[in-house]
Amino acid sequence: MPSPEIKSNVWPAFPTDLISIAITVATQARGSVLFHDWMYPGRMYFTGQTGINGRSNCAVRSSPRDCHRPSKLFGEKWKSPDIRAGMALVLAALAVPGLSTIRNVGQIDRGYERVDEKLRALGAKIERLTEK
């Protein structure tokens, strides 16, 4: 059976803005999914920060990318490169055991108002710290 494909396209198709989030969520399920973002393939570069690229069982290739799941993600210190990848990093951090730190959260705040408060209300253990 072929792997399902998620391809970004203009409305009403799958929005390119959700590809990063979909990749992160897909790493935690069984099977495989083929992702292709023909509009902005550079949005997939965040995967190297989470362990999706190279350190897990999710093979991420240039484009299209095939992810075999579930994958072990690695929590460390990450930097949000943009709004979309930043939210994907937040979701990845919630999926890994231990402490993860995400810097440059201003990128995330631009697209998701009070996201830390909303995730805490859902039971997430997340806190906002100020850098010294």
Side-chain angles (χ1 to χ4, degrees):
M1 180 175 194
S3 298
E5 291 184 51
I6 296 180
K7 296 179 186 178
S8 65
N9 212 329
V10 296
W11 189 89
F14 194 84
T16 186
D17 290 347
L18 294 180
I19 286 287
S20 301
I21 292 170
I23 289 172
T24 302
V25 171
T27 65
Q28 301 307 297
R30 297 177 202 257
S32 62
V33 177
L34 181 67
F35 290 93
H36 182 70
D37 189 344
W38 65 273
M39 297 171 78
Y40 301 101
R43 285 195 179 155
M44 296 184 188
Y45 292 131
F46 82 96
T47 59
Q49 293 189 65
T50 61
I52 295 172
N53 187 12
R55 293 189 291 172
S56 70
N57 64 352
C58 176
V60 179
R61 298 185 182 96
S62 57
S63 186
R65 297 174 186 250
D66 187 16
C67 291
H68 301 281
R69 351 167 237 173
S71 296
K72 183 176 181 181
L73 303 178
F74 298 86
E76 295 177 10
K77 294 183 179 181
W78 299 326
K79 182 177 180 182
S80 173
D82 61 48
I83 295 168
R84 294 144 200 94
M87 191 60 197
L89 292 174
V90 169
L91 295 177
L94 293 172
V96 299
L99 178 66
S100 296
T101 303
I102 302 173
R103 299 179 73 199
N104 198 26
V105 295
Q107 293 283 349
I108 302 165
D109 290 337
R110 285 183 23 215
Y112 301 92
E113 184 179 359
R114 297 184 347 261
V115 69
D116 51 331
E117 295 173 26
K118 293 172 184 176
L119 290 172
R120 268 195 301 281
L122 294 172
K125 294 180 182 175
I126 184 171
E127 66 180 276
R128 185 179 294 260
L129 303 173
T130 55
E131 279 192 85
K132 295 178 182 177

